[in-house]
Amino acid sequence: MRDWGRSRRPSRLGRVRLDKQDQEMDMEMDDAQEQGNDEVLHRRFRHVSFSDNRRHSHVQPQHPANRFIVCNDREKNQIYKGNSVSTTKYNIFTFLPKGLFEQFRRVANLYFLMISILSTTPISPVHPVTNVVPLSLVLCVSLIKEAFEDWKRFNNDIVINGTLVEVIQDGKWIEIPWRKLQVGDLVRVKQDNFFPADLLFLSSTNPDGICYIETANLDGETNLKIRKALEKTWDYIHPNKAAEFKGEIQCEQPNNSLYTFTGNLVMGKQTLPLSPNQILLRGCSLRNTEFIVGAVVFTGHETKVMMNSMNVPSKRSTLERKLDKLILILFGVLFAMCFIGAIGSGFFINRKYFYLGLLGDVENQFNPKNKFVVAALTLFTLVTLYSTIIPISLYVSIEMIKFIQSTQFINKDRRMYHMESNTPALARTSNLNEELGQVEYLFSDKTGTLTRNCMEFFKCSIGGEMYGKGVTEVERAAALRNQLNIHEIGRAADAVHEKGFNFEDARLMAGAWRNEHDPEICKEFFRCLAICHTVLPEGDESPEKITYQAASPDESALVIAAKNFGFFFYRRTPTMIRVRESHVEKIGKVQDVGYEILNVLEFNSTRRCQSVICRYSTGRLVLYCKGADSVIYEKIARGNDAIKKTTREHLEHFGAAGLRTLCLAYRDLSNQLYEEWNEKFIEAKSALSDREKKLGEVADLIEKELILIGCTAIEDKLQEGVPACIETLSKAGIKIWILTGDKMETAINIAYACSLINNQMKQLIISSETKEVREVEDQGDPVETARVIEDTVKRDLERCLDEVDYDTDSRSRLDFALVIDGKCLMYALDPKLRGKLLKLSLMCKAVVCCRVSPLQKAQVTSLIKVGARKITLAIGDGANDVSMIQAAHVGVGISGLEGMQAVMASDFAIAQFRFLTDLLLVHGRWSYIRISKVVAYFFYKNLTFTLTQFWFTFHTGFSGQRFYDDWYQSLYNVIFTALPVIVVGVFDKDVSASLSKRYPQLYQEGIKNMFFKWRVLAVWAFFAVYQSIIFFSFAVGASSKGQNSSGKMLGLWDVGTMAFTCVVITVNMRLMMASTYITKWHNISVAGSILTWFLFIFIYSGIMTRHDRQENIYFVIYVLMSTGYFWLNVLLVPLVALLGDFLFQGIQQRFYPYDYQIIQEKYRNEPDESTQDNETLNDLTPDQERSLAIARLPPQRSRHTGFAFDSPGYESFFALQKGVLPPPKAWDVARRASMKPPKRNLNS
């Protein structure tokens, strides 16, 4: 038996830290959305359970769960799956069929496959190579990319499945590969190694059966977590003892819930309840522990981390969806052209044209006796002839452009590089670059997103007395707003200030609290801060050197405050907390006091409070509780009305100052009451079904009749540059919503402080904190309460709508700000009121939703996304923001202090909120303009090329005669016009980055979709028709008047080659006209494309092979270049063709200019800022340069969930090629697990 009375301080615990409160909120949001539940009863098991394990003999064995495991018995456990995993998408047999299937799911690829098949038939006027070559190039590039990514996954699988782990066999530890591991095996995992499967933690080399793990691959946290084995299994540490372990595990079936586990361990006649504190998940690693012994519970693809490696629904940009419509329109145009040609062919075919040889037996396609067959066959002939109207290289080009935009510009932008945290921006997907340039609604979390998430104890209220003299940023902003002067008292020279503690009030410092009117309540306040928490101390046991690893910054700030008030928490064991108390008996006296921790009633998103039951050395039993004021006030005993009223006033004052508040309370317990309650608590802990619900119900039995102590107020300062950023985004036409769990007063004042709301706005407040609602809530009738709140919300929505309509009719042009709390929002989102809420919110410039749950955040985002069909962006930093981020069109994660869940679920990651200015106004806007221009240009150049063939059809009796050689048609998109459009998509920009931010109104062109309207596409189409007529007209003139050097008329292939030369020159030069920023790469690509055409035709027409169609082109270019007519056409035709575009652009820019053209004209003579815009950091430290290098590595895709084994694993390859070792990525356990552990002594 361990010595429970002796305290042990963990040696070199490292970076021990428990899961954060906000991270655990609603991690099962996807399930909640499917079920329609507003609250997900998802339990937090985030730290060691300090409950007394000595009474488990009272628990009766329960019915076996769905999974029944006999430890150390491989034969009985063979029914379960093995531990081998495969993360590859293909294998050697499925790669080609499955890969091709994936490629032909794209409509364009499927269309060209059909065209290629048609081109092999006799009715095709073109050689199959015309369509097969471009299709093959596109498919080869895509399949090679898929094969490379899958090969990296395969190599990672081999490494992981072959990693060795020690298993107990025949009384000794034997090494076997991970893939041979079975359910029920006892394994030994050594320090710094990964857990090979989901294990039941039995024993460790650390005192009291605890171990420390790193869960970065699950939740992004690099700080350590603590796990504790059951006391009954501590002895199974040595091989001979482990071989004797015959426990039976009854537990739940495999599932993807990372933070829950329900099961029992049956040892003999005892049934011991299991919780997540005894489970070690695959993908985590062991830290600061020599080794542990565990029993395998789930293996392979049944482990929780593998069951989480599912794909998030992929996002497609609005422009890409509109592109699909454009492709369908092109299909319609193609069908119309073919239908016209087919009808014309049916009318044209006639025996009177005797020179066509139609008098005898002819093939069906030209048989005048059956004109319907002629028309039908001609239809299919023309489909293959006009197939180039659909740009096959469009998708590949756009993907390439977006990839370069992400990796070379967004990831490298020094303006979005955070020096303090050494964090660059990261585009985790390139699919949504242009969506960043059209965002109209921005949904933001508050804590950690707008604020720093660096909590400091600032003020407090104890026994109805307020303490603390500081002035918050929110109060300063309010004073400035109201043109008031705040008299701030300077800090005293001896004032204490450390990270987490920014409190100044001499009445409480240095033992002065003993002189207050009620020192006993002060003592309870300080002890509650020092005892009611799950913080772990680290380092030397001195106030100056100790550090605290806490579940959240709030908890750490409260413990630091207790230390500065003279109640220094310095040591923790599973059953004991040691506090060094000063000034308790008399001023200056210090004494070490131990408090036995009997139970910890853990915090979760449902309970919103935390309690600790402890026993003093004197035998006193006390329950200390802290939590949200709305929860604590419901648990307070009757009476104490004066302190309750005063404390509520203080809470409102703190909220108005933008402070985060918690209420503190306590209750003295009798031994009999505690023993009776503890029996129920142990029974609830051992339940196999509804364990979380039962534990919550049991907690409610003891958390009542509390005595209110007071409340704390913690300041979370705004991030740098937030007000300026929000002001700039508002000018850009972006409507910003704050969705927070804070009180209404706090949320409103934060909105004022960050310039979201100002005095010129009219506030529309919909709150459940009304006298009518409070009265009905006091009656305790939930049905009546729901009815009253629903009526109140309906009435308030109608009132606000009338108010907005009146002001609109009066043309007062007021801006409105809507403020609504979570309880009212729940009813406002009901289908009956949703329309009113949507209408009202669209009329408001700013919206603040307070006291909202994570599910409500996602629902509000979806309301605007689906109901208003506006482009939305959600930004957050915690796990409670994941659903909101995934619900929006674009999700942005903040790399903050709340882990990496938000980043892993996001499409883009930045370190600070203020970087949104550059992400949206610069990169988003540029990307939108570039992609819009690229798509429109593709549409134009393919339509131009195809229409020349269409006009030629009228001169060939609709016979389907080719105007161009097959190879011209094949290489037009993939060679002769491919590179310039990519250069424009990468480098083109209308104004510099600094001007984009100086004139944020330019961003509204993207919101209004000014550059991808149907009107814009119609203009491109008009000039495509015009230019195609020019090309054809000159070609017809050449065929009738042109002569070569021998006096012969120019033939079909002479004219076709000359017309194709004009087309290549014209469409490339047209792209230069469309560019607003010309670089050397523009010149090189355009000149290179034209020269490539000439080089090709010189070679192609200079050789001839048998049995092909190439003899038509033999020596054509040499004959043409010997005539002056060719040079006249090459010089004159492009000029005439582009004359219309030139005149149109001149008139448009002179009389109907875009906003950016006005800015261009205004700053045309100023020095070019392009070198500054694309400049990366050259004066960084090696670590900072390394961080930027990491940002250039291939990004993850938007489908990626961020969980283990979902990553392709190729990032490491690129990193090593560049000589860069990437830091640990939370979402890539495959890469981390592939790192070979250091050699150790494996002897028993």
Side-chain angles (χ1 to χ4, degrees):
M1 190 70 170
R2 303 273 179 175
D3 181 8
W4 292 95
R6 187 177 64 182
S7 300
R8 294 182 177 85
R9 179 176 62 85
S11 60
R12 295 186 300 275
L13 294 184
R15 304 167 307 280
V16 180
R17 185 174 179 183
L18 307 176
D19 295 337
K20 297 178 184 297
Q21 295 175 4
D22 288 339
Q23 284 179 325
E24 301 301 331
M25 293 175 61
D26 210 355
M27 289 302 294
E28 306 297 329
M29 186 57 60
D30 291 335
D31 294 336
Q33 288 174 319
E34 293 174 3
Q35 298 168 7
N37 297 333
D38 182 53
E39 294 185 39
V40 180
L41 296 179
H42 156 233
R43 206 46 201 170
R44 270 188 68 180
F45 292 90
R46 54 186 175 85
H47 45 259
V48 64
S49 174
F50 299 103
S51 60
D52 193 345
N53 290 322
R54 291 172 287 183
R55 298 182 176 84
H56 289 311
S57 58
H58 292 263
V59 180
Q60 297 299 319
Q62 302 196 13
H63 292 290
N66 291 330
R67 173 160 287 214
F68 185 84
I69 303 169
V70 180
C71 297
N72 271 333
D73 193 332
R74 287 198 146 207
E75 185 175 346
K76 291 184 178 180
N77 296 320
Q78 286 181 351
I79 60 174
Y80 301 116
K81 292 183 179 180
N83 199 42
S84 178
V85 297
S86 174
T87 61
T88 57
K89 192 175 181 180
Y90 312 100
N91 59 41
I92 192 171
F93 301 106
T94 63
F95 173 71
L96 202 56
K98 191 174 180 180
L100 290 175
F101 173 76
E102 291 291 332
Q103 295 303 315
F104 287 124
R105 290 175 66 182
R106 283 183 169 176
V107 177
N109 289 347
L110 185 61
Y111 163 76
F112 270 93
L113 175 64
M114 295 170 58
I115 296 299
S116 299
I117 295 173
L118 277 177
S119 65
T120 61
T121 63
I123 63 173
S124 172
V126 298
H127 195 276
V129 71
T130 304
N131 297 295
V132 172
V133 167
L135 177 62
S136 300
L137 287 174
V138 170
L139 293 179
C140 283
V141 171
S142 300
L143 289 176
I144 290 172
K145 171 177 167 288
E146 289 283 322
F148 176 73
E149 293 179 356
D150 218 45
W151 177 253
K152 300 304 295 182
R153 298 188 192 104
F154 177 71
N155 287 335
N156 275 329
D157 290 344
I158 292 177
V159 173
I160 292 167
N161 291 327
T163 305
L164 299 179
V165 64
E166 293 180 291
V167 178
I168 193 71
Q169 291 183 2
D170 300 326
K172 56 183 179 181
W173 297 112
I174 303 296
E175 284 190 336
I176 64 171
W178 280 18
R179 64 177 179 273
K180 294 184 178 180
L181 205 59
Q182 285 189 12
V183 171
D185 287 349
L186 258 65
V187 301
R188 181 169 74 170
V189 180
K190 296 189 175 182
Q191 182 171 329
D192 298 328
N193 286 358
F194 287 84
F195 301 121
D198 289 351
L199 308 178
L200 170 61
F201 178 28
L202 299 177
S203 59
S204 83
T205 54
N206 281 346
D208 300 323
I210 60 175
C211 72
Y212 305 97
I213 65 173
E214 183 181 278
T215 61
N217 296 313
L218 303 185
D219 56 17
E221 285 287 350
T222 56
N223 296 315
L224 305 187
K225 315 293 188 300
I226 190 170
R227 294 293 181 265
K228 178 176 180 286
L230 297 175
E231 182 186 350
K232 293 293 183 181
T233 64
W234 287 358
D235 295 332
Y236 296 97
I237 190 71
H238 300 293
N240 55 347
K241 191 70 175 174
E244 299 173 359
F245 183 72
K246 296 297 180 182
E248 298 176 355
I249 303 172
Q250 305 169 358
C251 67
E252 62 192 8
Q253 286 284 25
N255 59 75
N256 64 352
S257 178
L258 292 171
Y259 299 98
T260 62
F261 180 82
T262 303
N264 287 335
L265 174 63
V266 180
M267 297 179 63
K269 295 183 179 180
Q270 267 191 319
T271 299
L272 309 175
L274 301 175
S275 74
N277 291 312
Q278 287 86 47
I279 300 301
L280 307 174
L281 299 182
R282 175 173 178 145
C284 301
S285 56
L286 186 66
R287 295 285 188 266
N288 292 351
T289 307
E290 186 178 349
F291 66 84
I292 61 97
V293 175
V296 178
V297 180
F298 301 130
T299 52
H301 288 278
E302 292 185 338
T303 57
K304 289 180 179 289
V305 69
M306 289 301 296
M307 296 190 76
N308 270 285
S309 59
M310 61 186 67
N311 289 329
V312 176
S314 61
K315 297 180 180 180
R316 299 182 67 211
S317 69
T318 305
L319 191 147
E320 189 175 347
R321 289 193 293 270
K322 192 169 183 178
L323 174 59
D324 291 342
K325 296 179 182 178
L326 178 60
I327 295 296
L328 292 177
I329 290 176
L330 290 178
F331 276 125
V333 173
L334 172 64
F335 178 78
M337 292 167 59
C338 295
F339 185 76
I340 292 172
I343 298 299
S345 177
F347 280 107
F348 180 82
I349 291 296
N350 198 303
R351 294 188 186 277
K352 69 179 181 179
Y353 302 112
F354 60 91
Y355 50 84
L356 295 179
L358 303 178
L359 298 177
D361 292 332
V362 295
E363 55 185 295
N364 291 332
Q365 187 176 358
F366 305 105
N367 190 346
K369 295 180 180 180
N370 197 339
K371 294 192 175 185
F372 177 79
V373 174
V374 171
L377 294 177
T378 302
L379 180 70
F380 289 104
T381 297
L382 295 178
V383 166
T384 60
L385 189 63
Y386 301 153
S387 62
T388 52
I389 196 172
I390 308 295
I392 188 173
S393 60
L394 173 61
Y395 289 103
V396 174
S397 299
I398 289 179
E399 284 185 2
M400 189 178 303
I401 289 168
K402 290 182 178 181
F403 178 79
I404 297 173
Q405 287 174 351
S406 299
T407 57
Q408 299 301 313
F409 295 108
I410 295 178
N411 291 356
K412 283 185 175 182
D413 191 347
R414 69 171 187 172
R415 294 179 300 270
M416 295 192 292
Y417 174 76
H418 191 231
M419 190 81 70
E420 295 177 11
S421 62
N422 197 24
T423 307
L426 176 65
R428 300 190 66 246
T429 177
S430 59
N431 295 341
L432 304 172
N433 293 357
E434 68 275 14
E435 200 85 329
L436 291 171
Q438 297 181 275
V439 172
E440 188 170 356
Y441 283 84
L442 190 153
F443 301 92
S444 174
D445 178 39
K446 183 184 79 68
T447 303
T449 304
L450 298 175
T451 60
R452 301 179 185 178
N453 204 18
C454 295
M455 311 301 177
E456 291 185 331
F457 189 94
F458 200 72
K459 293 184 179 182
C460 64
S461 172
I462 307 175
E465 187 71 25
M466 187 188 300
Y467 298 93
K469 300 179 180 180
V471 179
T472 65
E473 291 182 340
V474 172
E475 289 174 315
R476 294 189 188 97
L480 183 64
R481 184 172 65 248
N482 297 315
Q483 298 180 347
L484 300 175
N485 292 323
I486 292 183
H487 177 64
E488 296 191 43
I489 301 175
R491 295 186 64 87
D494 58 347
V496 178
H497 181 68
E498 64 174 291
K499 185 178 180 181
F501 188 76
N502 188 20
F503 177 87
E504 184 177 8
D505 196 325
R507 293 177 293 170
L508 293 185
M509 305 304 294
W513 55 269
R514 289 179 54 85
N515 300 321
E516 291 298 290
H517 70 279
D518 192 354
E520 289 301 318
I521 196 72
C522 293
K523 193 188 306 180
E524 294 293 351
F525 181 87
F526 301 143
R527 281 179 176 160
C528 185
L529 295 182
I531 297 173
C532 186
H533 58 78
T534 56
V535 176
L536 290 171
E538 185 181 42
D540 294 338
E541 295 179 356
S542 64
E544 297 79 17
K545 296 182 179 180
I546 199 167
T547 57
Y548 294 117
Q549 300 294 342
S552 69
D554 298 80
E555 272 210 320
S556 177
L558 294 177
V559 175
I560 292 172
K563 178 185 74 172
N564 285 283
F565 290 136
F567 288 72
F568 171 38
F569 159 66
Y570 65 91
R571 188 184 304 166
R572 148 166 269 149
T573 68
T575 59
M576 187 71 67
I577 275 183
R578 305 290 298 183
V579 179
R580 190 168 297 155
E581 299 182 352
S582 305
H583 321 298
V584 174
E585 295 183 2
K586 64 178 182 179
I587 297 292
K589 183 176 181 180
V590 179
Q591 57 186 1
D592 285 351
V593 183
Y595 297 94
E596 183 183 3
I597 304 300
L598 301 176
N599 304 87
V600 174
L601 307 180
E602 299 164 344
F603 175 93
N604 64 29
S605 58
T606 304
R607 283 168 34 77
R608 297 176 65 197
C609 67
Q610 178 187 46
S611 296
V612 168
I613 300 176
C614 66
R615 178 182 281 120
Y616 282 41
S617 57
T618 60
R620 179 192 178 197
L621 273 175
V622 184
L623 179 145
Y624 286 111
C625 183
K626 67 181 180 185
D629 57 303
S630 58
V631 175
I632 299 297
Y633 265 69
E634 294 177 356
K635 300 176 182 292
I636 294 175
R638 293 186 180 275
N640 297 320
D641 293 335
I643 185 175
K644 287 164 63 176
K645 180 180 179 181
T646 305
T647 304
R648 184 178 288 277
E649 292 174 355
H650 293 169
L651 285 166
E652 293 174 356
H653 175 79
F654 294 152
L659 299 173
R660 298 162 61 90
T661 57
L662 281 177
C663 281
L664 276 58
Y666 78 99
R667 179 188 183 186
D668 284 305
L669 305 174
S670 65
N671 286 322
Q672 181 182 356
L673 174 64
Y674 170 72
E675 293 293 339
E676 293 174 356
W677 174 85
N678 196 46
E679 293 289 339
K680 298 176 183 177
F681 180 72
I682 295 172
E683 183 179 351
K685 284 195 68 176
S686 63
L688 282 179
S689 61
D690 297 327
R691 180 181 292 180
E692 295 87 354
K693 181 180 179 181
K694 292 176 181 177
L695 283 170
E697 292 172 351
V698 171
D700 290 337
L701 296 177
I702 198 77
E703 291 175 338
K704 61 183 181 180
E705 303 297 324
L706 302 181
I707 298 174
L708 182 63
I709 303 174
C711 66
T712 62
I714 293 176
E715 183 181 22
D716 185 12
K717 295 184 178 180
L718 287 175
Q719 289 183 13
E720 178 187 351
V722 166
C725 175
I726 288 181
E727 186 177 357
T728 301
L729 295 179
S730 297
K731 290 179 180 178
I734 299 174
K735 299 176 179 64
I736 302 171
W737 293 28
I738 293 181
L739 311 178
T740 178
D742 286 333
K743 294 188 292 294
M744 182 171 287
E745 296 80 6
T746 305
I748 291 175
N749 283 283
I750 288 293
Y752 269 112
C754 62
S755 300
L756 180 63
I757 299 177
N758 55 52
N759 284 337
Q760 284 69 45
M761 288 186 180
K762 192 170 186 177
Q763 291 185 27
L764 306 174
I765 297 179
I766 302 177
S767 173
S768 61
E769 296 296 321
T770 63
K771 183 178 179 180
E772 181 184 3
V773 174
R774 285 181 179 175
E775 287 177 354
V776 74
E777 285 180 338
D778 291 339
Q779 297 174 6
D781 185 351
V783 177
E784 181 65 16
T785 301
R787 186 193 65 79
V788 171
I789 296 178
E790 184 176 2
D791 291 342
T792 302
V793 172
K794 181 179 180 180
R795 186 170 59 251
D796 286 347
L797 285 174
E798 292 173 349
R799 171 183 56 81
C800 293
L801 281 171
D802 292 340
E803 199 171 336
V804 173
D805 289 337
Y806 175 78
D807 287 333
T808 303
D809 294 339
S810 63
R811 299 183 180 180
S812 59
R813 295 188 178 180
L814 278 176
D815 289 328
F816 295 92
L818 173 64
V819 182
I820 183 170
D821 66 17
K823 196 174 292 186
C824 293
L825 187 62
M826 179 174 65
Y827 293 94
L829 288 170
D830 186 86
K832 293 182 292 185
L833 300 177
R834 190 182 302 161
K836 291 183 180 0
L837 175 64
L838 178 62
K839 182 180 178 180
L840 176 62
S841 58
L842 292 177
M843 294 178 176
C844 297
K845 187 174 183 180
V847 176
V848 177
C849 301
C850 50
R851 296 287 197 185
V852 293
S853 68
L855 177 57
Q856 287 178 320
K857 291 183 178 182
Q859 289 174 333
V860 169
T861 305
S862 299
L863 176 70
I864 301 300
K865 177 182 177 181
V866 178
R869 298 196 176 186
K870 304 292 185 180
I871 297 180
T872 59
L873 181 147
I875 180 170
D877 71 320
N880 58 335
D881 302 317
V882 168
S883 296
M884 175 180 69
I885 287 172
Q886 292 180 348
H889 288 93
V890 182
V892 178
I894 297 280
S895 305
L897 301 178
E898 293 194 19
M900 297 287 288
Q901 290 99 324
V903 170
M904 292 187 292
S906 67
D907 306 301
F908 299 89
I910 55 179
Q912 296 279 290
F913 183 88
R914 68 178 185 273
F915 295 157
L916 275 180
T917 304
D918 287 282
L919 186 65
L920 299 182
L921 271 57
V922 179
H923 295 286
R925 185 173 169 279
W926 283 350
S927 296
Y928 163 70
I929 294 175
R930 290 164 177 168
I931 297 299
S932 298
K933 192 172 293 184
V934 165
V935 173
Y937 174 74
F938 261 101
F939 170 65
Y940 149 79
K941 73 183 181 69
N942 281 59
L943 189 60
T944 302
F945 178 74
T946 308
L947 283 176
T948 54
Q949 177 72 66
F950 178 67
W951 306 132
F952 182 69
T953 303
F954 285 86
H955 282 256
T956 59
F958 307 97
S959 62
Q961 170 62 46
R962 293 174 298 135
F963 188 42
Y964 303 118
D965 181 75
D966 294 340
W967 281 102
Y968 298 177
Q969 191 167 331
S970 300
L971 302 180
Y972 175 73
N973 276 311
V974 296
I975 298 295
F976 304 136
T977 60
L979 186 58
V981 70
I982 294 177
V983 170
V984 169
V986 171
F987 294 106
D988 194 55
K989 60 182 178 181
D990 50 358
V991 295
S992 66
S994 60
L995 289 177
S996 295
K997 291 185 289 186
R998 191 186 307 177
Y999 297 97
Q1001 294 82 359
L1002 292 173
Y1003 187 82
Q1004 296 181 18
E1005 293 176 333
I1007 295 177
K1008 297 174 183 177
N1009 198 21
M1010 298 290 290
F1011 303 114
F1012 202 65
K1013 289 179 178 291
W1014 294 117
R1015 183 182 64 192
V1016 174
L1017 295 174
V1019 172
W1020 282 93
F1022 171 80
F1023 285 107
V1025 174
Y1026 161 74
Q1027 291 177 7
S1028 65
I1029 293 175
I1030 295 297
F1031 298 143
F1032 178 72
S1033 299
F1034 276 84
V1036 172
S1039 64
S1040 58
K1041 300 179 182 179
Q1043 297 179 353
N1044 59 24
S1045 57
S1046 61
K1048 294 182 179 180
M1049 293 180 62
L1050 297 178
L1052 169 63
W1053 306 112
D1054 300 311
V1055 175
T1057 301
M1058 184 166 56
F1060 189 81
T1061 303
C1062 294
V1063 170
V1064 170
I1065 294 174
T1066 302
V1067 297
N1068 279 291
M1069 294 305 298
R1070 177 65 182 86
L1071 188 62
M1072 293 287 281
M1073 292 178 61
S1075 301
T1076 54
Y1077 180 71
I1078 306 296
T1079 67
K1080 64 179 180 181
W1081 302 112
H1082 288 73
N1083 297 324
I1084 292 173
S1085 62
V1086 170
S1089 295
I1090 296 173
L1091 290 176
T1092 300
W1093 154 245
F1094 280 105
L1095 180 63
F1096 165 79
I1097 193 60
F1098 284 150
I1099 298 174
Y1100 181 59
S1101 65
I1103 60 176
M1104 183 175 65
T1105 59
R1106 293 183 177 182
H1107 309 300
D1108 63 10
R1109 293 176 162 187
Q1110 190 265 332
E1111 68 268 12
N1112 297 325
I1113 307 299
Y1114 181 66
F1115 226 65
V1116 162
I1117 191 63
Y1118 300 100
V1119 172
L1120 284 174
M1121 295 185 70
S1122 65
T1123 66
Y1125 200 86
F1126 170 78
W1127 295 108
L1128 181 65
N1129 270 269
V1130 168
L1131 295 175
L1132 183 61
V1133 171
L1135 290 176
V1136 176
L1138 294 174
L1139 179 62
D1141 297 84
F1142 180 80
L1143 292 175
F1144 174 81
Q1145 287 190 7
I1147 294 172
Q1148 179 268 320
Q1149 191 165 347
R1150 180 70 178 84
F1151 298 103
Y1152 310 99
Y1154 288 110
D1155 292 340
Y1156 78 86
Q1157 292 173 332
I1158 298 174
I1159 302 300
Q1160 284 179 331
E1161 187 67 23
K1162 182 177 180 180
Y1163 293 94
R1164 62 184 302 179
N1165 296 322
E1166 291 200 1
D1168 183 25
E1169 300 179 6
S1170 62
T1171 56
Q1172 300 177 14
D1173 290 339
N1174 297 318
E1175 184 179 356
T1176 56
L1177 292 168
N1178 298 316
D1179 54 349
L1180 301 179
T1181 65
D1183 284 343
Q1184 292 164 349
E1185 290 178 350
R1186 172 176 168 273
S1187 182
L1188 281 176
I1190 295 301
R1192 301 167 188 164
L1193 301 180
Q1196 310 299 319
R1197 298 298 176 190
S1198 63
R1199 286 176 170 267
H1200 182 46
T1201 62
F1203 290 107
F1205 300 104
D1206 193 38
S1207 169
Y1210 54 81
E1211 190 175 86
S1212 298
F1213 172 80
F1214 282 96
L1216 293 174
Q1217 297 300 312
K1218 292 175 176 288
V1220 178
L1221 286 176
K1225 291 286 186 181
W1227 47 86
D1228 196 356
V1229 68
R1231 180 183 62 235
R1232 297 176 60 115
S1234 65
M1235 298 170 60
K1236 295 183 178 180
K1239 298 290 185 180
R1240 299 186 182 278
N1241 184 7
L1242 302 179
N1243 295 330
S1244 302

